[in-house]
Amino acid sequence: MPKKRQALVEFEDVLGACNAVNYAADNQIYIAGHPAFVNYSTSQKISRPGDSDDSRSVNSVLLFTILNPIYSITTDVLYTICNPCGPVQRIVIFRKNGVQAMVEYPLLESSAQRAKASLNGADIYSGCCTLKIEYAKGERPISDNPNKRQRQPPLLGDHPAEYGGPHGGYHSHYHDEGYGPPPPHYEGRRMGPPVGGHRRGPSRYGPQYGHPPPPPPPPEYGPHADSPVLMVYGLDQSKMNCDRVFNVFCLYGNVEKVKFMKSKPGAAMVEMADGYAVDRAITHLNNNFMFGQKLNVCVSKQPAIMPGQSYGLEDGSCSYKDFSESRNNRFSTPEQAAKNRIQHPSNVLHFFNAPLEVTEENFFEICDELGVKRPSSVKVFSGKSERSSSGLLEWESKSDALETLGFLNHYQMKNPNGPYPYTLKLCFSTAQHAS
């Protein structure tokens, strides 16, 4: 129970528990370097989702949660790993809480139990795309009744245009990847491997460089998010503008446009270059905090941002900006994109392209000028380049670093030896500390 900083340990019998409690009474136990205390629990046994006496009892539908999905997760990928456990009937991908999917097996077979036992906790790719698998609530299979769909969470935003009409309400991703006809006609059909032929031609939202989609789906299948547009809620209106939103989201893919919404204070739309960038941004930025407000990042129903009528934000800047030609986008060529390391926000930022003679005091002055917190620690790497300097900036908290990223990324630093300034660039670091 990580939020309580506690754990339950169940022994085979009471004697084992007694021995543990008695030992801990006389000896200090350390776990991961921290002193731990052991006592009896009021629980008689540990119940986990999926246990037969749990509310989520064994059934034929599995709920997959994909943790750290830095590569594209499509129905083709899930089919490839799930079908060896038994004939997969349906797969539905949705993105209400990160990347999740429902996988349905035949009702009277043990395929779902076999899949859960063999796949739960496994990585689809090395060190990422980790599977957390539970039995879905209830025992009914994935519904095809349009009337019931309205009460389910929206899957992949809205349905695409080619499946509009009475079957709208949710969109299971395999329809446009060739897994059979659109609903409701696939009721009872066994799901087969992808059929040949593409339902749509190459998309401008095809995969971005740097993180190519893994096989089997070819890039012509288009994005794996339903729209290249993100909705972002929880922005501080007095502090954020289009450039600062760009400065945060450009770490996860090319940003095309940013538009603040007059009708929804603190909300903005961000159009990314493709669906893979959308998923990376949701995975890494959703539920983080900026200026005391929780960010909610999700897929928009809109297929693109239309400029419309713009207005002035609190700092006087425009509510809409086009970044499609920005030189600060970082995924425009394979060589450029390969340098990007996709990281979750942390309290340490890696800086690069700063003047050679940059000092800790320079960063303090700039942070004071921008009105953000000074870093608690600054480390400048020596001798990495003859043209510019790089290093690490550390803050007390992750949100402090995220806020500063919005303000400080792409700051024009004075060049002491010439007329052209240095464009400071920032990204999150894997380092725990700047020292």
Side-chain angles (χ1 to χ4, degrees):
M1 298 170 284
K3 288 182 181 173
K4 294 183 180 178
R5 300 177 69 190
Q6 296 177 352
L8 293 173
V9 178
E10 183 178 340
F11 286 85
E12 204 166 28
D13 53 38
V14 175
L15 184 61
C18 290
N19 289 340
V21 171
N22 292 339
Y23 179 85
D26 300 326
N27 304 274
Q28 179 61 64
I29 291 175
Y30 290 88
I31 297 175
H34 294 274
F37 304 94
V38 181
N39 215 328
Y40 297 107
S41 167
T42 54
S43 305
Q44 293 301 307
K45 70 182 303 256
I46 295 176
S47 292
R48 298 182 58 177
D51 285 356
S52 57
D53 58 351
D54 192 84
S55 60
R56 291 195 179 186
S57 57
V58 173
N59 65 73
S60 63
V61 183
L62 297 174
L63 172 64
F64 280 59
T65 302
I66 294 88
L67 308 172
N68 194 22
I70 66 171
Y71 295 111
S72 165
I73 302 300
T74 66
T75 46
D76 284 311
V77 171
L78 292 176
Y79 180 88
T80 301
I81 63 173
C82 292
N83 205 55
C85 300
V88 174
Q89 295 202 312
R90 294 173 186 79
I91 297 176
V92 176
I93 294 178
F94 51 100
R95 290 175 173 76
K96 189 178 181 187
N97 297 306
V99 180
Q100 293 183 302
M102 302 275 262
V103 178
E104 183 182 347
Y105 286 97
L107 198 59
L108 299 176
E109 293 189 22
S110 58
S111 306
Q113 289 169 269
R114 199 157 49 241
K116 183 176 183 295
S118 61
L119 299 176
N120 190 28
D123 292 345
I124 299 178
Y125 301 103
S126 178
C128 65
C129 304
T130 305
L131 297 174
K132 176 189 169 192
I133 305 175
E134 307 163 86
Y135 291 107
K137 288 182 181 175
E139 297 188 11
R140 274 180 292 186
I142 300 169
S143 171
D144 293 322
N145 185 334
N147 297 322
K148 291 177 185 171
R149 271 180 221 142
Q150 316 247 329
R151 294 192 292 274
Q152 294 185 348
L155 309 181
L156 288 177
D158 255 5
H159 56 79
E162 60 262 44
Y163 298 113
H167 310 315
Y170 79 68
H171 165 48
S172 59
H173 193 254
Y174 64 84
H175 300 157
D176 60 352
E177 291 184 352
Y179 272 111
H185 310 296
Y186 65 66
E187 177 64 61
R189 286 177 62 99
R190 176 159 295 182
M191 190 170 176
V195 298
H198 304 316
R199 300 219 166 198
R200 59 186 181 204
S203 163
R204 73 180 266 250
Y205 304 121
Q208 232 165 38
Y209 297 117
H211 290 275
E220 290 90 335
Y221 279 129
H224 89 285
D226 207 32
S227 162
V229 181
L230 291 160
M231 283 301 309
V232 186
Y233 301 96
L235 296 169
D236 187 322
Q237 292 185 101
S238 65
K239 294 189 168 67
M240 296 301 286
N241 59 28
C242 293
D243 285 313
R244 289 168 183 171
V245 170
F246 171 86
N247 287 344
V248 171
F249 281 81
C250 71
L251 270 59
Y252 303 103
N254 279 2
V255 177
E256 300 274 316
K257 301 166 193 164
V258 176
K259 180 182 181 180
F260 278 78
M261 305 181 71
K262 197 167 190 177
S263 59
K264 295 179 182 175
M269 299 170 74
V270 181
E271 183 174 332
M272 307 297 286
D274 63 43
Y276 303 105
V278 165
D279 275 353
R280 288 196 294 266
I282 292 173
T283 300
H284 293 84
L285 294 174
N286 189 35
N287 294 330
N288 278 284
F289 283 82
M290 285 186 82
F291 303 107
Q293 296 181 194
K294 189 176 185 178
L295 293 180
N296 179 1
V297 185
C298 55
V299 181
S300 170
K301 297 176 182 179
Q302 303 299 323
I305 291 179
M306 298 301 154
Q309 192 171 3
S310 55
Y311 63 98
L313 299 175
E314 287 195 25
D315 67 353
S317 65
C318 185
S319 63
Y320 167 82
K321 190 165 181 178
D322 189 320
F323 292 95
S324 58
E325 301 299 321
S326 173
R327 294 181 62 185
N328 292 326
N329 269 318
R330 302 180 181 182
F331 293 77
S332 299
T333 67
E335 297 75 27
Q336 185 192 39
K339 297 176 182 176
N340 295 307
R341 291 188 177 182
I342 309 295
Q343 301 289 344
H344 281 276
S346 69
N347 66 318
V348 180
L349 289 173
H350 170 64
F351 73 84
F352 54 103
N353 204 47
L356 272 174
E357 302 82 6
V358 74
T359 64
E360 181 181 70
E361 194 58 37
N362 292 148
F363 286 108
F364 289 167
E365 289 170 3
I366 294 169
C367 288
D368 291 348
E369 173 197 329
L370 296 173
V372 291
K373 289 183 183 175
R374 292 181 170 192
S376 57
S377 179
V378 177
K379 180 178 183 179
V380 181
F381 299 144
S382 58
K384 286 263 183 175
S385 165
E386 295 178 4
R387 292 179 296 176
S388 62
S389 64
S390 59
L392 300 173
L393 305 170
E394 181 183 353
W395 279 265
E396 296 294 328
S397 71
K398 181 168 64 173
S399 54
D400 288 346
L402 185 57
E403 290 160 14
T404 308
L405 173 70
F407 277 66
L408 191 57
N409 201 10
H410 306 124
Y411 182 87
Q412 301 293 295
M413 298 188 78
K414 290 173 186 167
N415 182 353
N417 303 314
Y420 300 109
Y422 283 81
T423 300
L424 179 69
K425 300 199 174 181
L426 301 170
C427 63
F428 287 108
S429 170
T430 53
Q432 298 296 309
H433 302 285
S435 53

